[in-house]
Each structure stands twice: as structure tokens, then as C-alpha cells.
Amino acid sequence: DCGLLTYPNAFELQKKAREQRIQKKIPDLFLLTSHPAVFTLGKRPCEEDFLSSRAVIEKEKIEIIQSNR
């Protein structure tokens, strides 16, 4: 259990574990974590699909993160 992490930290942990697994440095594993609310913008930015305005999202302190997914 990795506990509560920020989205970027959780994603970085996942990428590092993946690389170590590919290199057979670690066995199969299951990462269990949570992160505060975020909106992710993937390969196709779709901010216009948000049901709330950016101002409302920022007021609620919800992070908007660009992702490669």
C-alpha cells in the first residue's frame, strides 16, 4: 500500500516499477495508491469536455494534468 500520493508521484512510481519489472529486477507486483482529485488531459486535449469551467476547477483546487495516456 503506497498510501496517498500526488498524481505525478503515483505515475512516476508506476513508470519506475514498470521499468524495473521489464528488466526483471523485481517480481510481479500490485501497486495500491490513491491521489487527490485531478483532471487529466490525454493525447487529445479535450478541456472543452469538462462539465465545469477552469475557474470552478481551480477554485476547488483540482489539478489539471497533461498525460500521455
Side-chain angles (χ1 to χ4, degrees), residues 1 11 13 17 33 37 41-43 49 52 57 59 64 68-69:
D1 182 354
F11 189 52
L13 176 64
T33 188
L41 296 172
K43 293 179 180 181
D49 293 342
S52 299
I57 292 168
K59 182 179 177 189
I64 299 174
N68 67 346
R69 297 179 187 209

Side-chain angles (χ1 to χ4, degrees), residues 40-50 65-67 69:
T40 56
L41 296 172
K43 293 179 180 181
R44 181 188 65 84
C46 55
E47 194 169 338
E48 66 275 1
D49 293 342
F50 291 170
I65 298 174
Q66 185 67 46
S67 174
R69 297 179 187 209

Side-chain angles (χ1 to χ4, degrees), residues 1-2 10-11 13-18 29-33:
D1 182 354
C2 301
F11 189 52
L13 176 64
Q14 181 182 6
K15 290 190 304 186
K16 287 179 180 178
R18 177 183 180 272
L29 61 102
F30 179 80
L31 297 174
L32 180 62
T33 188

